[in-house]
Amino acid sequence: MERPAKQIRLGLSMAGHGYHHSAWLDPSVPPDGINDFGFYLNLAQVAERGLFDMVFLADFLTFTMIDIPKGVTGRTSRGSFEPVTLLSALSQLTKHVGLAATTSTTFGTPFHTARSFASLDLLSKGRAGWNVVTSFQDEEAENFGSSSILDKSTRYERAEEYVDVVLGLWDSLAPDAYVYDRASGYLFDPARVRTLNHVGKHFRVKGPLGTPRSVQGRPIIIQAGASEEGQELAARTADVVYSVQPRIEDAQRFYEGLKSRMAKYGRERDDMKIMPGLLPVIGATEQEARDRFRAMQKLIDPKVGLRYLSAIFGDLSDHDIDGPVPELRKDKPLATRAKLIHDLAKRNNWSIRQLYESTAIGNTHNTVVGTAEQVADVMQDWFLNGAADGFNLLPALSPTSVVEFVDQVVPILQARGLYRTAYTATTLRGHLGLSDPPTAHSD
Ligand SMILES: Cc1cc2nc3c(=O)[nH]c(=O)nc-3n(C[C@H](O)[C@H](O)[C@H](O)COP(=O)(O)O)c2cc1C
């Protein structure tokens, strides 16, 4: 086969026990791993052995105690570490793999975000990435002095300004600003420092930020919102986009739509890598993979299944679990994904149980149940046919699913010339093949 010029990018989402909502009940998953640094270190090291571009930590600013349906609290899988803190520790025990963390523009402040990610970028020698999210849960707002989340258009308006301020702060110091010159007595050259003096609708930030730029210039910007507002923010500012696309036709439409928005911001299509989620369930044969998936479905605690669906449909406790799926809830604004889940149920004529069994493992991401060869086939198809630049690997069960992917799928992709056989760069920007970021400093 002729070798394609470009290669697949890979990220690993290290979500706690795995993406399966009852993952911690599986005997292969250490239940206390989520509170154990060694568990995450192992995951990052396996990803590095698999030559991944980056590992990624999602984050939600609530330890939700909402008991819908009754008796569910305490049963769901979740993570506990603050992402930048955890990745800072991992940065000292990994060498190549990129380190991406989530921080919310609705609850953070741009100065803190710019500073902590610039520090992670220095600590890791140019491997940091920031997943920009706007958050969507009222329970998160309750931890920040409010009873409900801001409406979506205000959240995205704030996010647009927030990202600009952070980018401006990261450009405070020219690469040669620190001169460390004992002879002249100058530690840094004030002429090579830019004071931002930002005054906007949501923020007033003077700057400058004193953290010097890393070897990759600044951290990578990642975005995961798929709404109109989310796509505009991504088209203007994102280096990487995580998306939820269960089917190749939808993924191609999303890919083309998002890439074609970039020109009006003066950006080339290749300046952004689109990486949909991929959840593989691998077996030695297709039948074995199906049996494993079925066993995983049986593991889902029905209360946890209903809890997962409650965000979309409200409390379903009084519904027949084997009856039809109701209409979407109307009392709350819903994320783009809610409609996707509802459409899936209608299209397949699923019952409530069938719906959560089909979606609570992969969270509506592209779930491929088959042999390692079949997983590689799907990745190749999406990559070569305008649906993806790479994939965000979502392990059903951690660490088992990650080890299986690295040992079984990675060698197949390498043999097909679709994936690197060694790291050729030292920074996350380098792994992703992105060019240097623009700077307001003259040479
Ligand atoms: C792969 C992926 C990861 C995400 N991770 C987070 C996260 O860690 N924290 C968060 O608050 N939202 C997260 N989101 C949600 C999005 O950032 C966004 O808020 C959500 O999709 C709703 O916005 P939208 O309507 O623009 O899609 C994630 C979304 C996707 C697709």
Side-chain angles (χ1 to χ4, degrees), residues 19 56-60 102 131-136 140 152 155-156 223-227 230 242-244 334-337 365 392:
Y19 263 70
F56 158 70
L57 283 172
D59 195 39
F60 301 92
T102 298
N131 180 37
V132 180
V133 301
T134 59
S135 306
F136 50 86
E140 297 180 283
K152 186 167 180 157
R155 292 202 313 270
Y156 271 108
Q223 218 283 123
S227 60
Y242 291 148
S243 61
V244 191
L334 296 169
T336 321
R337 195 183 303 194
H365 285 278
N392 185 27

Side-chain angles (χ1 to χ4, degrees), residues 159-174:
E160 293 274 358
E161 188 179 335
Y162 195 117
V163 172
D164 286 343
V165 175
V166 170
L167 290 172
L169 288 170
W170 282 339
D171 199 26
S172 295
L173 304 189

